[in-house]
Amino acid sequence: ADRLCLSAGEKRQARLAAFLHDIGKIGVPSSLLTREGPLDAKERNEVERHPEVGARLIAPLGVSAGLVAAVRHHHERWDGAGYPDRLAGDSIPLTARIVAIADAFDAMTGGRADRPPLDRMTALAELARCAGSQFDPTLVKEFAVVAEGATGEVDLDLVADLLASAQTGSESAAPSARRIV
């Protein structure tokens, strides 16, 4: 968001979307989220509902339509093969495209129950490989520049400040910290 020179409000929206994008997983049985093996078609369909559930959960909270759209569309793919609405290219909201890349990088470098984490450079290579199909190719390049210099640590003060500013609606309360998102 910083490298794209987004406005303070757009940066704040991207950060909040990054924190809230998977809130809809609250409606998915934990047994599916922690399963080590592959999911069957029915189970996968249940997991793939989480963006829609998340958008429905946050919409009544008075958050921006852009934030709701980012949560709903963070699993859309650049080539249109994603979900829930099979959006493609620039029809996917920018914030959702940003979150999709950061989320994938986090998943790859954080590992899963059934696979070890990838190192930063391997994860960046995988993002580059999927640029143009799964991810916005321009955003992948920008993300790589940021990720190559990032520490990977979560700034808990930033999280607290962002949540406080979301409650007050204050743009000035959101600090401009160095973040991957």
Side-chain angles (χ1 to χ4, degrees), residues 27-93:
V28 177
S30 60
S31 61
L32 296 182
L33 298 175
T34 58
R35 164 107 30 100
E36 289 189 26
L39 302 174
D40 65 32
K42 182 181 174 197
E43 293 167 330
R44 184 164 178 78
N45 185 49
E46 193 167 348
V47 171
E48 288 179 356
R49 289 182 46 247
H50 83 270
E52 295 171 280
V53 171
R56 284 197 318 267
L57 283 172
I58 67 169
L61 301 177
V63 298
S64 72
L67 181 57
V68 174
V71 169
R72 180 178 177 87
H73 299 296
H74 75 276
H75 279 291
E76 301 289 358
R77 290 176 46 118
W78 189 252
D79 62 9
Y83 58 90
D85 298 317
R86 301 184 76 71
L87 300 179
D90 289 328
S91 65
I92 304 166

